[in-house]
Structures are given as C-alpha cells and as structure tokens.
Amino acid sequence: MSALLAAIERFYDAVPRQHADAEDHGPLTLFARRGDGWPYYARPTLGHPGPVSAEDVAAVRARQRELSVPEAFEWVLETTPGLDAAAEATGLHVRRCPLLVLSGEPVQVPLPADISLSIVTAEDPDLAAVQAVALVAFGALSTATGPAGPAERDATAAALPAGHAASWRASLVERTLVHAAARGRHGALTGPLCAGSYQHAEGVAEIVGVGTLPAARRQGLAAAVTAILARHALDAGHRTVFLSAQNDDVARVYERVGFERVATACIAEPPEQP
C-alpha cells in the first residue's frame, strides 16, 4: 500500500508542474498558475519528512491571497496525517473524500439503447456542450435527479468564455487530458449528457470531473463514462488509475466499475459564506 500511495504522491506533484510554477514553502509546495491558467492548490512537499504546522498553512494562505488565487490545499490523509488539524486550526474547512484505485479490469456498464459512449476529440462538434455538462452537473446542489438538462447545458455552452474553450481544446490537442462523453441520440435528452476526464503523469492516471446532467441521472451514465476512461488509461500504458469521490454514495458508483477504496483525499478551503 505504501508503494501505491507513493506513486500517487509523485503524480500529484508532477501534474501541476505542467502548467504552474512550484513555490517551495518548507513542508508545503504552492503551485502558482501561469497567466490565466488553472488556479492550482498547495500540497505537502514531495519527500518532506516533517509535520506541517498551522503556521506553515497560514504562511501559504497569505501567499495565495497575495497572488489572488484560491486558498486551497489538497493531500492524502494517510500520507500526511495531522495536516487536517493544522488546516482547521487556521479556519479552513476540510472535506474528507474516499480515494479509490482501480483493481483489475474496469467493469463495463450496460447503457440504454439510445445512449452512445465515446472518447472526445478536439474536432468534436459538441465540444462546448461537453464542457458545459460538468458546469451544469456540479452547479446542482445535490447528486439527485432534477430538471436541469440539455437546455441549461446549451445555454451554458453559449456563454463559455473564449479562453476557457480554447484552453480545453488545447488540452485535447496536447493530450494532457483525455475526455469522454455519453450522449443521447433520441427524444428530449439528446447530445452530451455525461462527461468526464483523466489527467496523467508518472504512469498514473486520475479520473476527474465526471458529471451527469440532473435530468439524465440514474441511468448508469457516470459509471459508464468512468469505465471507458479507465479502459483508455490502461490501454495507454498507465499502471495506476485512481479517483476521489465526493462522498460514500458517489464512491459506490465507482465501486461498480471495479474501484476500491484505499485512502482518504483531503481538500481544505475557506468555509462558504452564508
């Protein structure tokens, strides 16, 4: 298990370095975005042997405010125990999420006959709509079914900032991210209904951002998108495929595909203001 978590730590350190500048803050490394790029987080410095104190966290938070980036920290609880208490001592809210690793081959999930599943390319005519799926899905207050569907997706796609769309397309061209989508072919639920991605480094792939339009939930779409991404990652030569689930209920979706819980992923951010 220690070798597996060590591989995930190397991945977590390597991925942000592709698009961000790493700042050394003792036991913590802050990944500062370049230009208008993705605002990354701070995390434990790879290989640092010592604990992380509340003072260490507070110092990095001050630097994040100076850079006008989110005061966000991510780490694996079992690898860096005690960082949760240090983060909470500075006023941050810590979310503890199941971290799961694919065990064996991904289980293919049956889909309704009117749903197709595919890897997304940079030339995909639905590219903006695929991007918008996640924004609508994660904008919902819960993971339950709801009214938001293709109309909300298309309105969100039409309002995407040009830079956002260009950056997403560049990730496909550069193959730093791989995207997949489930699409409806008939009836009211047509076009992209569920989408997700994986990022990769050091022989490790992390599946991220799997979301389904609320109106299309409870059909197994998230599990199917996760399975095709996992299959693609294995075929591309990545030895370890993992993900973090929002909660135990969501983790059960991924367990259907062949993922097993091995640790706890922590995300620390300022508490939401009422």
Side-chain angles (χ1 to χ4, degrees), residues 5-6 11 13 29 36 53 74 109-110 122 183 204 206 219 228 249 271:
L5 294 184
F11 163 89
D13 182 76
T29 298
D36 295 327
S53 68
E74 297 188 10
V109 179
R183 311 177 208 227
V204 176
E206 179 189 22
Q219 300 186 75
I228 192 175
D249 288 339

Side-chain angles (χ1 to χ4, degrees), residues 121-234:
T121 69
E123 292 72 34
D124 196 312
D126 290 332
L127 201 57
V130 172
Q131 281 184 270
V133 166
L135 296 175
V136 174
F138 292 109
L141 296 178
S142 74
T143 57
T145 56
E152 289 76 10
R153 175 201 64 206
D154 294 344
T156 300
L160 284 173
H164 190 143
S167 174
W168 214 68
R169 186 178 186 280
S171 72
L172 289 169
V173 174
E174 298 166 358
R175 299 184 181 179
T176 55
L177 284 173
V178 174
H179 307 283
R183 311 177 208 227
R185 295 181 288 192
H186 305 289
L189 294 177
T190 58
L193 304 177
C194 177
S197 314
Y198 77 77
Q199 54 189 350
H200 54 91
E202 303 287 328
V204 176
E206 179 189 22
I207 296 176
V208 297
V210 178
T212 306
L213 295 178
R217 289 173 179 166
R218 303 296 183 264
Q219 300 186 75
L221 305 189
V225 166
T226 300
I228 192 175
L229 288 168
R231 179 73 268 161
H232 190 282
L234 290 178

Side-chain angles (χ1 to χ4, degrees), residues 9 24-29 43-52 56 79-80:
E9 285 295 305
D24 183 13
H25 293 269
L28 293 168
T29 298
R43 60 169 292 100
T45 297
L46 185 65
H48 194 284
V52 182
D56 295 322
T79 303
T80 314

